[in-house]
């Protein structure tokens, strides 16, 4: 039973209240990827780093460094509990039992989050995680969830009991109005939606409220949550695909341009050695979607679906549909996971547009689990707007990691390496926009 949220925030403001309480409080795809890393790249070192894309919000201005340290240290003190490992071992995921090997579960038994490096520069935190990839990768989601929740707490710290009550009442009503629109959408035709909102959520219990509200509101249309702890507790499916870090690390490890060009497809080959069925979802945009699809081996078109993650959703989906058609596959049988900054408006528009043309599934993140805009009693929205924080792999075995994406705002890496990747992959900026 979820406690009264306003009372809880009020009552918990006087002592350390751990944000991450279990290592299962993370995205399911992290476990899928971790098993592959543990099996195929156990000795690779990869550094992850925090990157704040919202220039206007300086985290160190609103988050107390000591509190941040206490939260990060608490997360480092966690171990997987026996019952959690038994659940991971015995539960079926994507219709498959024993998706995790016994050796991997044994590895998890000894797992703890590796050390972190925290410093400050120009009013901003620098947070880095250096070490083995099979350890550092697990920081991404909890680190982001901690920072986002600390920021939300700092905004709520000065609010009184009734202001908090109104804040949550408004946020609940706001979410419910989205649920009502989804109900209409679900009555019109197929709808599949999943919570992807762990990393940028307002808080753990708020995320749970959102998931449970969605479940009551849309029923079967809620296919699950990417959050493993919520999935376990609520008896929901754990949902996951794969992330940019895989091609980013493989690319950084490439010894020459030819190997670099092949790296995104080597990732797919390795992934398909471990997983099949609905877990074969292409992530085409790491170094640009158009060139990825053009260069992709024909067998890639046999994968179950794709997750376009940086073009506007309809354009991204249309490009995939054209590609499957050109490769002689039926797009109507393919799964398209839309997950980049989805809002209720873009969900409605893309689901309606794509109905009957492909199987669409929505991964709903920030706009599900951290939308308090217009809910603050004094109207100071800026304090509750989630900053665009990411925690990305930045260095691999001493070499810089690069992400291009279809959206230049998401580029990562040193300028000269970005230029090299653009050349090697034949990156085509904005080609899709002119279509
Ligand atoms: N961040 C979190 N991660 C996992 N579980 C959580 C988290 N926050 C709350 N819970 C769980 O939700 C329930 C209600 O939480 P809450 O913290 O309000 O309980 P509590 O009795 O006040 O405990 P505490 O004083 O330790 O916070 C408890 O079962 C708690 O374990
Ligand atoms: O609804 P949202 O808040 O967008 O959450 C979901 C997004 O989060 C992840 O990427 P992340 O933003 O961490 O990195 P990226 O933007 O570089 O893909 C994921 O790839 C989704 O795009
Ligand atoms: O599994 C995924 O693809 C996923 C989950 C959460 C957030 N972003 C992506």
């Amino acid at each position: 039973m979820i406690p009264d949220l306003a009372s809880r925030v009020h009552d918990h403001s006087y002592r350390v209240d751990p944000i991450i309480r279990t290592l299962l409080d993370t995205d399911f795809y992290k476990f899928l990827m971790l098993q592959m890393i543990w099996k195929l790249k156990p000795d690779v070192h990869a550094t992850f780093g925090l990157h704040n894309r919202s220039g206007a919000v300086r985290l160190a201005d609103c988050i107390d460094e000591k509190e941040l340290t206490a939260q990060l240290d608490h997360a480092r003190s966690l171990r997987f509990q026996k019952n959690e490992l038994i659940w991971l071992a015995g539960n079926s995921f994507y219709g498959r039992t024993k998706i995790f090997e016994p050796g991997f579960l044994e590895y998890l038994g000894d797992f703890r989050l590796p050390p972190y490096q925290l410093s400050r520069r120009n009013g901003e935190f620098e947070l880095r995680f250096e070490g083995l990839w099979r350890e550092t990768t697990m920081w991404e989601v909890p680190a982001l969830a901690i920072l986002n929740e600390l920021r939300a707490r700092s905004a709520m710290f000065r609010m009184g009991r009734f202001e908090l009550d109104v804040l949550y009442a408004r946020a609940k009503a706001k979410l419910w109005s989205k649920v009502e629109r989804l109900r209409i959408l679900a009555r019109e035709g197929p709808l599949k939606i999943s919570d992807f909102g762990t990393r940028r959520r307002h808080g753990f219990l708020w995320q749970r409220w959102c998931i449970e509200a969605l479940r009551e509101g849309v029923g079967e249309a809620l296919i699950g949550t990417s959050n493993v702890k919520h999935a376990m507790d609520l008896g929901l499916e754990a949902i996951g695909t794969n992330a940019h870090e895989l091609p980013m690390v493989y690319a950084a490890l490439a010894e020459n341009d030819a190997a670099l060009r092949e790296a995104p497809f080597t990732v797919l080959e390795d992934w398909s050695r471990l997983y099949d069925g609905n877990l074969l979802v292409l992530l085409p945009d790491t170094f640009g979607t158009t060139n990825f699809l053009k260069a992709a081996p024909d067998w890639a078109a046999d994968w179950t679906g794709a997750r376009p993650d940086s073009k506007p959703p309809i354009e991204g989906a249309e490009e995939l549909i054209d590609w499957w058609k050109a490769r002689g596959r039926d797009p109507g049988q393919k799964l398209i996971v839309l997950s980049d900054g989805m809002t209720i408006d873009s969900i409605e528009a893309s689901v309606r547009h794509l109905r009957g043309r492909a199987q669409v599934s929505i991964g709903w993140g920030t706009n599900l689990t951290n939308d308090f805009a217009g809910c603050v009693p004094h109207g100071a929205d800026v304090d509750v707007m989630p900053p665009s924080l990411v925690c990305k792999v930045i260095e691999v075995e001493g070499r810089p990691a690069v992400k291009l994406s279809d959206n230049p705002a998401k580029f990562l890496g040193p300028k000269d390496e970005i230029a090299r990747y653009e050349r090697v992959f034949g990156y085509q900026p904005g080609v899709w926009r002119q279509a």
Side-chain angles (χ1 to χ4, degrees), residues 132-342:
L132 287 167
W133 186 19
R134 62 184 159 88
E135 297 178 347
T136 53
T137 181
M138 294 306 274
W139 260 120
E140 176 185 6
V141 178
L144 291 175
I146 286 171
L147 286 158
N148 279 303
E149 186 162 348
L150 284 180
R151 177 172 147 87
R153 286 184 186 179
S154 81
M156 293 189 295
F157 186 67
R158 280 176 208 84
M159 293 187 197
R161 168 75 180 74
F162 284 86
E163 275 181 309
L164 286 165
D165 219 1
V166 171
L167 177 80
Y168 280 114
R170 288 179 179 167
K172 286 177 177 177
K174 191 171 188 193
L175 179 66
W176 195 257
S177 69
K178 296 176 191 174
V179 169
E180 285 171 345
R181 287 170 66 175
L182 292 175
R183 284 162 91 137
I184 294 170
L185 202 56
R187 275 202 291 273
E188 290 169 4
L191 178 67
K192 282 186 189 165
I193 192 152
S194 164
D195 154 50
F196 272 15
T198 299
R199 72 194 59 200
R200 280 185 279 271
R201 70 189 179 199
H202 165 85
F204 175 90
L205 291 173
W206 176 247
Q207 182 183 23
R208 182 158 292 189
W209 195 93
C210 296
I211 296 170
E212 293 200 76
L214 261 187
R215 176 154 75 174
E216 181 180 310
V218 305
E220 297 288 297
L222 178 73
I223 59 164
T225 166
S226 67
N227 184 291
V228 186
K229 170 69 174 159
H230 290 309
M232 183 174 92
D233 289 354
L234 300 174
L236 285 168
E237 291 292 330
I239 303 293
T241 65
N242 52 83
H244 301 106
E245 67 179 273
L246 297 179
M248 287 171 74
V249 172
Y250 276 54
L253 289 172
E255 291 297 343
N256 52 46
D257 288 356
L260 176 58
R261 207 171 290 120
E262 277 311 303
F265 308 118
T266 313
V267 169
L268 304 184
E269 279 170 351
D270 282 355
W271 188 261
S272 61
R273 286 163 61 187
L274 274 80
Y275 306 113
D276 55 17
N278 281 355
L279 287 173
L280 298 185
V281 176
L282 302 165
L283 180 63
D285 69 330
T286 314
F287 307 119
T289 298
T290 305
N291 43 285
F292 173 94
L293 295 178
K294 202 166 148 204
D298 198 56
W299 51 259
D302 288 328
W303 274 39
T304 307
R307 180 164 77 92
D309 197 41
S310 50
K311 292 189 179 188
I314 292 178
E315 282 91 325
E318 288 290 357
E319 186 176 22
L320 286 162
I321 289 172
D322 288 347
W323 177 69
W324 280 312
K325 278 191 196 157
R327 299 286 183 117
R329 308 319 198 273
D330 174 9
Q333 303 298 317
K334 296 292 185 183
L335 173 68
I336 298 181
V337 181
L338 299 175
S339 61
D340 181 28
M342 296 305 285

Side-chain angles (χ1 to χ4, degrees), residues 1 3 8 12 15 17-22 25 149 201 204-205 229:
M1 188 61 196
R8 186 180 186 279
H12 280 71
R15 60 185 168 84
D17 179 3
I19 290 170
I20 301 297
R21 299 185 184 192
T22 156
D25 184 10
E149 186 162 348
R201 70 189 179 199
F204 175 90
L205 291 173
K229 170 69 174 159

Side-chain angles (χ1 to χ4, degrees), residues 65-186:
E65 190 172 336
K66 277 204 199 89
E67 215 174 325
L68 175 56
T69 304
Q71 291 292 346
L72 295 169
D73 288 343
H74 181 78
R76 284 206 69 218
S77 74
L78 297 171
R79 300 287 185 280
F80 285 100
Q81 301 296 303
K82 210 167 178 185
N83 67 319
E84 297 176 334
L85 292 171
I86 290 170
W87 181 78
L88 283 177
N91 195 50
S92 70
F93 298 99
Y94 281 82
R96 216 180 105 181
T97 49
K98 300 196 171 69
I99 200 167
F100 299 117
E101 291 182 18
F104 176 63
L105 292 164
E106 224 171 274
Y107 169 70
L108 290 185
D110 291 329
F111 185 88
R112 63 181 295 197
L113 289 167
Y116 60 89
Q117 288 86 42
L118 178 65
S119 57
R120 289 168 87 121
R121 189 191 288 179
N122 304 329
E124 191 52 279
F125 290 125
E126 289 204 325
L127 184 56
R128 285 165 68 96
F129 308 100
E130 289 175 14
L132 287 167
W133 186 19
R134 62 184 159 88
E135 297 178 347
T136 53
T137 181
M138 294 306 274
W139 260 120
E140 176 185 6
V141 178
L144 291 175
I146 286 171
L147 286 158
N148 279 303
E149 186 162 348
L150 284 180
R151 177 172 147 87
R153 286 184 186 179
S154 81
M156 293 189 295
F157 186 67
R158 280 176 208 84
M159 293 187 197
R161 168 75 180 74
F162 284 86
E163 275 181 309
L164 286 165
D165 219 1
V166 171
L167 177 80
Y168 280 114
R170 288 179 179 167
K172 286 177 177 177
K174 191 171 188 193
L175 179 66
W176 195 257
S177 69
K178 296 176 191 174
V179 169
E180 285 171 345
R181 287 170 66 175
L182 292 175
R183 284 162 91 137
I184 294 170
L185 202 56

